[in-house]
Amino acid sequence: MQNIVLFGPPGAGKGTQAENIIKKYQLVHLSTGDMLRNEMKNQTELGLKAKTLIDQGLLVPDEVVIGMIKNQINQNLQAKGFIFDGFPRTVAQAEALDKMLAELNLSIHSMVALEVPFNTLKQRLLQRAKELNRTDDTEEIIEKRIQEYNSKTLPVADHYKKQNKFYSIDGVGTVQEVFERIERVLQA
Ligand code: AP5
Ligand code: MG
């Protein structure tokens, strides 16, 4: 089983590249952002609570996303592997993930980090705002999301660096160019 964490700031291309990776390697895509947006769409209690945080660009509580990931892993134990997108986003989430995988005799194979400069992230997300209907793709909330990333999520990279599982990738270029860089890491 090959379990990959796709890492990077908002707009880095995690969702875009996850689609390419699952097609080629038949992994199960686990995006906590997509799961939360689905709860919001269905107006569940969890979705309504999450919406107030997401619309401020703030992270939702660790226990909420850890619970959702645990459920999805348990429902897909026959999978060839998982691609984690937007999770783990805090060191506590990373520790919980390592623990739940270890209990199943599994582990993270690698963290692939997409590096993209701030101005490009902002341009991509403002462009996406015109195409999709994500309520958090406004200039003000994008900046807040990037602040949350810098303060709470960047330390997750160190967590996997200590385990020698961290691979940095240049996330600027065409979608295909970036995918080829990721493939080189996954095939190594
Ligand atoms: P989440 O949905 O995870 O959003 P995010 O991390 O802010 O990232 P995005 O989905 O905006 O960007 P992406 O890296 O997937 O880029 P994409 O491929 O779409 O989280 C949303 C919110 O949910 C959080 O703020 C938080 O509140 C909550 N949440 C989620 N997970 C959580 C967790 N674990 N803990 C706590 N809270 C959590 O690409 C962006 C755009 O760029 C697209 O339009 C795309 O077409 C374009 N693009 C992609 N690649 C390229 C390229 N190479 N060249 C040009 N354009 C490109
Ligand atoms: Mg995404």
Side-chain angles (χ1 to χ4, degrees), residues 72-88:
Q72 287 299 317
I73 290 177
N74 284 323
Q75 282 176 34
N76 289 283
L77 289 174
Q78 77 304 334
K80 274 193 177 173
F82 296 103
I83 177 114
F84 296 96
D85 161 4
F87 181 93

Side-chain angles (χ1 to χ4, degrees), residues 102-170:
E103 282 166 5
L104 296 165
N105 266 325
L106 302 172
S107 62
I108 292 297
H109 180 270
S110 43
M111 166 178 270
V112 177
L114 299 172
E115 313 282 354
V116 177
F118 176 76
N119 281 333
T120 310
L121 297 173
K122 222 167 111 177
Q123 276 167 17
R124 285 185 187 176
L125 294 177
L126 290 175
Q127 178 58 35
R128 186 175 67 188
K130 295 180 197 154
E131 296 155 9
L132 291 182
N133 207 12
R134 261 182 70 168
T135 49
D136 56 347
D137 279 344
T138 68
E139 192 143 357
E140 191 192 347
I141 303 172
I142 291 167
E143 279 177 19
K144 186 68 209 170
R145 283 155 65 197
I146 294 174
Q147 275 173 26
E148 282 279 90
Y149 174 81
N150 288 333
S151 62
K152 296 181 183 152
T153 306
L154 262 182
V156 178
D158 294 324
H159 177 88
Y160 290 100
K161 277 178 193 166
K162 282 185 207 145
Q163 300 182 15
N164 287 320
K165 292 176 177 173
F166 180 84
Y167 299 88
S168 169
I169 299 253
D170 178 5

